Amino acid sequence: MTLKVYLSGEIHTDWREQITEGAEGLDVVFDAPVTDHAASDDCGVAIMGAETSKFWHDRKGAQLNAIRTRRGIEGADIVVVRFGEKYKQWNAAFDAGYAAALGKSLIVMHGSDHQHALKEVDAAALAVVDAPAQVVQILRYVLDGRLPG
Amino acid sequence: MTLKVYLSGEIHTDWREQITEGAEGLDVVFDAPVTDHAASDDCGVAIMGAETSKFWHDRKGAQLNAIRTRRGIEGADIVVVRFGEKYKQWNAAFDAGYAAALGKSLIVMHGSDHQHALKEVDAAALAVVDAPAQVVQILRYVLDGRLPG
Amino acid sequence: MTLKVYLSGEIHTDWREQITEGAEGLDVVFDAPVTDHAASDDCGVAIMGAETSKFWHDRKGAQLNAIRTRRGIEGADIVVVRFGEKYKQWNAAFDAGYAAALGKSLIVMHGSDHQHALKEVDAAALAVVDAPAQVVQILRYVLDGRLPG
Amino acid sequence: MTLKVYLSGEIHTDWREQITEGAEGLDVVFDAPVTDHAASDDCGVAIMGAETSKFWHDRKGAQLNAIRTRRGIEGADIVVVRFGEKYKQWNAAFDAGYAAALGKSLIVMHGSDHQHALKEVDAAALAVVDAPAQVVQILRYVLDGRLPG
Amino acid sequence: MTLKVYLSGEIHTDWREQITEGAEGLDVVFDAPVTDHAASDDCGVAIMGAETSKFWHDRKGAQLNAIRTRRGIEGADIVVVRFGEKYKQWNAAFDAGYAAALGKSLIVMHGSDHQHALKEVDAAALAVVDAPAQVVQILRYVLDGRLPG
Amino acid sequence: MTLKVYLSGEIHTDWREQITEGAEGLDVVFDAPVTDHAASDDCGVAIMGAETSKFWHDRKGAQLNAIRTRRGIEGADIVVVRFGEKYKQWNAAFDAGYAAALGKSLIVMHGSDHQHALKEVDAAALAVVDAPAQVVQILRYVLDGRLPG
Amino acid sequence: MTLKVYLSGEIHTDWREQITEGAEGLDVVFDAPVTDHAASDDCGVAIMGAETSKFWHDRKGAQLNAIRTRRGIEGADIVVVRFGEKYKQWNAAFDAGYAAALGKSLIVMHGSDHQHALKEVDAAALAVVDAPAQVVQILRYVLDGRLPG
Amino acid sequence: MTLKVYLSGEIHTDWREQITEGAEGLDVVFDAPVTDHAASDDCGVAIMGAETSKFWHDRKGAQLNAIRTRRGIEGADIVVVRFGEKYKQWNAAFDAGYAAALGKSLIVMHGSDHQHALKEVDAAALAVVDAPAQVVQILRYVLDGRLPG
């Protein structure tokens, strides 16, 4: 049984690639949001026409991205949500809440400086890690029972 | 049929009181998280014993608060989530995602400076407002069909 | 056990009043959308600010009305949907589909001229009638087992 | 992960073919109602015997078509509903409501003349478009993150 | 917490009265189908107009009765289904299957001569009894922990 | 998308074979209960040991058969339930109720002499037929839109 | 909104009374299994007739108790499960798993000697305590935000 | 349709191998928890860092194992839970309760000495056996209708 993993959150570093490459050979399929920032911001107006108001410009895009995001989360066995160093990242926390309400197994990844601010999100997770390599180790253990070292 | 409303998010201003007082006379019951910041942070260790690690100190508390939060959201007809000016407020976005996944009617409240950062959260909402008085107007309209002015 | 009935659809005649008055003395509570046409159209911009585009003007209002409509349908035992003589009334058919997907008991009311066009909607209903008095008779029978005449 | 798309609504133009052909090469499977108008109208009596009443003639057929429609909508990731220029098309709005209640990602397609009449249906959609090519662009973006142009 | 009990099945003896009277003083509310045989058979045509075909005559009535039956079963904590000595009673077995699929606590009542024919229905039940007094004893035990004698 | 069909009910004639053979070439997979009457009756005690009481003998078997039946119904798109000329066949009506509560598309097959007794079961069905060939015609129409003749 | 709490598990000490008395004045209603050991063991045969086999004697009783237990857990906001010093107490762990799968807020109570053996049960809980007074403190905090001391 | 079976419980004997080998040639896929006791106990700290407290050491591991366990149970058609001679095995009973609440077909395996203590768990099962060979016989019967001997 292939393990389906959705990789939500921070889009400015290569953490998704690190996980995907690290998990080579494991029976996992990965899904993720569109990580091209400009495309993600402008997809709505690019396809459905320009808006004069930034609010509706953003809404058109966010709703389009929601088609992909919801399908990814709803179809996943595990949802990994990474919080990076910068920005508000409210969409990441939103995805975590969405996944938690659906009963998905949640893995949260963040640096220790965010520990207190993320305590409610962490409290809904089955694992809290700070590095992509740990996610790979978790996937390998969950699938094959093998531990690192 | 009484309207059940859960007021999630920012705990540093009196927006909940403004809504509660504004809604006097309407058939609404309000619920909310514990808004005493210190109690909310320390409830876990206060009841279940101290922890040397901040991570587990926080987890004990966050899990205890989750008992109240989940019950409040799951029992609500409408979930209002307010984002204030400061802090990460990831728990607010988490609650919004949780409410959205359960199909609750979501109202998001925030200032215009947060508009872009909150676009995914707003896109899941049936109403986006910036002031408590607007929430009261919405509740009055939803219950009685009366508009302001 | 009080019977909860949601009255969806046409807002230009007094069919809701006929049902409500006819059902006096029965253990029924009725709910319905806001039937003040102007308020229903403009509620969104009245509370959340004007829009230059008609599309967003309408969306703001329709989303606000959805708070009431969804709660009404989700809380109902029976959803009655009436199609009048005029207009497209797509919101009525939308409500019927929404109610059907939730497994609600559906009663559809319309004149015989609409019979063929409404065949898919009728096919999801447990009763198809053409007059408000028949709805009252159904409610009385469902509650008390009494038939007319 | 193959994207499953159900194409509901208007059956008098070739919009389904335009989408299907436009989406060639994408990992999508399409489903749709029976679009042969005569077969769709008469399927019930053709298989289960004639009726003297038009109402039951239509019901037999509509219930048979419902087997296909419900399976199509329930199995879909995305439900596209197109409203054409003519006819009442209440079955299209019914399908949209059915899909919305199940939490499906809804795309609504219609000309601008229907904008006001469809506002409740549009308000439940994640995208509102007027041309089949836009649906193809959305599917490509949702699957591969590529935008037109 | 009041115990909600739906009494389905045989309508030719006074078993419902025996249970209702036996349970006096217990915190139980009972619901049941319309047990007036003639009304139950003819309710559809009495309210919605005569049919020339017996099949549609019966369908109109059965669909109307389904409004009451489904609400009764869906709202119940316990569904009691009694099979009498005579008739096919397929509606009773249908109700039992419906209740079982919803995870309701099922009590089946029948004489020993029907034991083998009802084995699949009994196998879905939490209790199988042959007399109304036993149902009363079960309700008293479930509510108050008191056993007979 | 392969159509999954569960064939419940009467086990004394070859109606399942007629449907399976008639549907050759269609994208359908069929499932059914164990139709070997003796095996079905005795499976419980054959595997888990003899019982002195007929009631528990039957219960052991019925529970074992329920593993197969529930999986078959829960996994099906369409549940066909056939009522034969003889016996009580309460398990068939139970399966129909179970399928109806799960929202499965239900097809009921029976001779006209059972019409009145099966009216509640028929009222939950999307098609009522009397011959296996009609089921094949329905499957062909649902899958390919082709009508007989 | 009254808090509904189900008290599962050990029946040999007065921990339920300690919680009930400690929670006086709070808006809580408690439910629990029948705690009269003999009645609980023999309820099935007392009402439905003796069995020669201990296995069926026990099954009759356990199924009857399940009517009360499932209703209690399904209706609860919070499920408290206490493991005492003695016995296998598999029914307590079963109730904890049942509650966890339904998404109930779970509080587990046990002495430190059982910590390792209960780690999977504890891992599904939002709070792990060892004394009834802590449960009271949690209920008070969840309802009123007040902490001890 | 491949039968998916999750093998929960005791990890000190080769009962899983006996079932897997006995079921060779049947269309079954098996899943199970990690059965390497040391890995299962220490997986959390091995991947996410050491803990000074045994409670959190165990929690980290138990939550990690829960990712695999929940996926296994939720994806299964049949959940087999074996209770061995020794230890508390509360996780086995927890899994049984979890599976029961999800409506999975439950098979419980244990020796006769545990019969009374497991009566609530057994009462939720569709089959109770004491040997792995019986599970194989059940799987063969459920899939192919063949009985032993």
Side-chain angles (χ1 to χ4, degrees), chain A residues 60-83:
Chain A
K60 270 187 170 172
Q63 290 191 165
L64 219 50
N65 286 314
I67 297 177
R68 178 163 169 150
T69 304
R70 291 185 190 177
R71 175 170 169 261
I73 294 176
E74 286 163 16
D77 297 307
I78 295 176
V79 175
V80 181
V81 184
R82 173 175 162 91
F83 292 83

Side-chain angles (χ1 to χ4, degrees), chain H residues 15-75:
Chain H
W15 67 279
R16 286 186 184 81
E17 286 69 29
Q18 291 184 47
I19 291 175
T20 307
E21 287 167 18
E24 245 169 56
L26 295 178
D27 189 9
V28 189
V29 291
F30 293 100
D31 194 8
V34 171
T35 55
D36 174 334
H37 199 157
S40 171
D41 265 13
D42 297 331
C43 60
V45 297
I47 294 175
M48 291 178 284
E51 292 292 330
T52 51
S53 143
K54 183 75 172 112
F55 180 80
W56 297 118
H57 176 112
D58 279 349
R59 178 149 195 140
K60 270 186 170 174
Q63 291 193 163
L64 218 50
N65 286 315
I67 298 178
R68 177 163 170 148
T69 304
R70 291 184 190 180
R71 176 170 168 261
I73 294 177
E74 286 164 15

Side-chain angles (χ1 to χ4, degrees), chain D residues 65-78:
Chain D
N65 286 314
I67 298 178
R68 178 163 168 148
T69 305
R70 291 186 190 177
R71 175 169 168 262
I73 295 177
E74 286 164 15
D77 297 306
I78 296 175

Side-chain angles (χ1 to χ4, degrees), chain H residues 93-108:
Chain H
F94 181 88
D95 281 0
Y98 199 92
L102 297 179
K104 300 295 173 183
S105 286
L106 185 65
I107 300 175
V108 180

Side-chain angles (χ1 to χ4, degrees), chain B residues 45-66:
Chain B
V45 298
I47 294 174
M48 291 177 285
E51 293 291 330
T52 51
S53 145
K54 184 75 172 111
F55 180 79
W56 297 117
H57 176 113
D58 279 349
R59 180 152 195 136
K60 271 186 170 173
Q63 290 193 164
L64 219 50
N65 286 314

